[in-house]
Amino acid sequence: MSDINMETENTWCPGCGNFAIEAVTKKVIKKIGRNKTAITAGIGCHAKIIDYVNVNSFYGLHGRPVSLAVGIKLANPELSVLAFSGDGDSLNEGISHLIHAAKRNSDITVVIHQNRNFALTVKQFTASSPKGFVSNSSPEGNVEEPLNTLEVANSAGATFISRSFSGDIEHLQETMEKAVEHKGFSLIEVLQSCPAWYDTNSYYRENSYKMEKVPKNPDKKIREWNYDGEGKIPLGVFKKQEKPTYEEKMARKGKKVSVEEVLKSKI
Ligand code: SF4
């Protein structure tokens, strides 16, 4: 592999927040080294990142980028592994994988492209769509409360939780670098506009602010924005904790078990 760019035609819509995520991802991977990095994606607009970034990658089933990343990291702990996922991919189809990876403290980085709708399938509501959201699966408006992504990760035990905005490339790069550097499970929620189905660019630009430091009370800070139009939106790192990683705990279990031993076992 000689270059991080692919020649594949980019089919994202003009103005989509995915472009910023792609650009920052390439910068971050260049710093780590392409041969030391692997990325995964699920299904959705976000997943096309696999077609545009020339690095070891795995295009998975819907909702499975996190479980794939956990497996890759366990097999080769030397790699930096990033799982790219959409809100529908990780908070609807794949929510159990997100929760368990956070609980295990698997040393991976999950990047959530938060556009708050199933965009590739032309606008259905997801778990994080706002109440009242009119879509092809909620023509009279979504009746459900939106799920707070960071609260889900926090309650599952994630050791690094952050949020950025695709309209602020510098902040996005800084936050993604911190997430990748963290030893343990790290999550970065990237608020992104979907100009085709849910154009939130001005709303995020006008209603977000950057936190100056990691808050003393992350639980409270995480709940400051309710995803439903109330409250200002904090950006930055909400939580950073040191704990043994899943890979370390698995390695400590001791001797390797051969396939023959597993087959002979009476479990
Ligand atoms: Fe981006 Fe939305 Fe277009 Fe998908 S449908 S490429 S998320 S603007």
Side-chain angles (χ1 to χ4, degrees), residues 112-155:
I112 298 200
H113 299 227
Q114 180 61 279
N115 61 29
R116 310 183 68 195
N117 77 108
F118 282 107
L120 188 69
T121 46
V122 299
K123 197 180 187 184
Q124 290 83 26
F125 73 96
T126 66
S128 59
S129 297
K131 200 171 168 189
F133 183 66
V134 176
S135 74
N136 286 316
S137 56
S138 54
E140 292 180 15
N142 176 24
V143 295
E144 300 177 24
E145 304 287 336
L147 199 60
N148 183 328
T149 317
L150 306 190
E151 209 169 3
V152 171
N154 191 29
S155 56

Side-chain angles (χ1 to χ4, degrees), residues 163 191 203-204 207-210 224-225 231-235:
R163 178 189 286 138
L191 301 177
Y203 168 63
Y204 291 144
N207 289 284
S208 62
Y209 72 94
K210 292 175 204 163
E224 193 170 296
W225 178 52
K232 290 283 178 192
I233 309 168
L235 303 177

Side-chain angles (χ1 to χ4, degrees), residues 17-25 49 84 111 113 172 176 190 192:
N18 283 326
F19 287 103
I21 300 175
E22 179 201 342
V24 165
T25 299
I49 199 164
F84 292 85
V111 181
H113 299 227
L172 180 55
M176 199 186 287
V190 186
Q192 68 153 115

Side-chain angles (χ1 to χ4, degrees), residues 25-247:
T25 299
K26 285 179 174 173
K27 286 185 186 176
V28 170
I29 292 177
K30 273 185 179 174
K31 276 196 180 177
I32 305 167
R34 279 192 307 145
N35 290 332
K36 294 178 184 161
T37 313
I39 67 171
T40 66
I43 299 292
C45 290
H46 78 273
K48 295 182 188 177
I49 199 164
I50 296 277
D51 298 330
Y52 308 145
V53 182
N54 190 9
V55 68
N56 306 298
S57 59
F58 199 123
Y59 215 141
L61 295 173
H62 210 345
R64 305 305 189 271
V66 174
S67 46
L68 289 167
V70 170
I72 292 169
K73 184 70 185 183
L74 199 54
N76 187 351
E78 300 301 312
L79 288 174
S80 287
V81 187
L82 290 92
F84 292 85
S85 191
D87 46 303
D89 195 58
S90 254
L91 299 172
N92 288 80
E93 270 81 0
I95 191 163
S96 59
H97 299 290
L98 182 70
I99 288 170
H100 285 279
K103 173 181 170 288
R104 290 179 183 129
N105 198 27
S106 179
D107 187 12
I108 62 168
T109 298
V110 177
V111 181
I112 298 200
H113 299 227
Q114 180 61 279
N115 61 29
R116 310 183 68 195
N117 77 108
F118 282 107
L120 188 69
T121 46
V122 299
K123 197 180 187 184
Q124 290 83 26
F125 73 96
T126 66
S128 59
S129 297
K131 200 171 168 189
F133 183 66
V134 176
S135 74
N136 286 316
S137 56
S138 54
E140 292 180 15
N142 176 24
V143 295
E144 300 177 24
E145 304 287 336
L147 199 60
N148 183 328
T149 317
L150 306 190
E151 209 169 3
V152 171
N154 191 29
S155 56
T159 50
F160 183 101
I161 297 174
S162 64
R163 178 189 286 138
S164 191
F165 168 45
S166 62
D168 187 339
I169 291 246
E170 263 182 44
H171 185 266
L172 180 55
Q173 183 173 347
E174 189 187 303
T175 313
M176 199 186 287
E177 281 176 358
K178 284 180 188 165
V180 170
E181 277 163 19
H182 176 72
K183 191 162 81 76
F185 181 91
S186 57
L187 179 127
I188 170 169
E189 175 186 49
V190 186
L191 301 177
Q192 68 153 115
S193 180
C194 166
W197 311 120
Y198 192 37
D199 192 347
T200 45
N201 195 41
S202 310
Y203 168 63
Y204 291 144
R205 209 169 278 285
E206 287 160 19
N207 289 284
S208 62
Y209 72 94
K210 292 175 204 163
M211 295 182 287
E212 284 174 11
K213 52 186 179 186
V214 181
K216 285 199 175 116
N217 186 342
D219 302 16
K220 191 173 169 212
K221 201 46 122 176
I222 281 169
R223 287 196 297 273
E224 193 170 296
W225 178 52
N226 74 351
Y227 288 70
D228 226 355
E230 285 170 30
K232 290 283 178 192
I233 309 168
L235 303 177
V237 179
F238 291 75
K239 180 182 178 186
K240 184 166 168 51
Q241 264 183 352
E242 299 299 324
K243 274 188 180 176
T245 66
Y246 181 53
E247 296 74 24

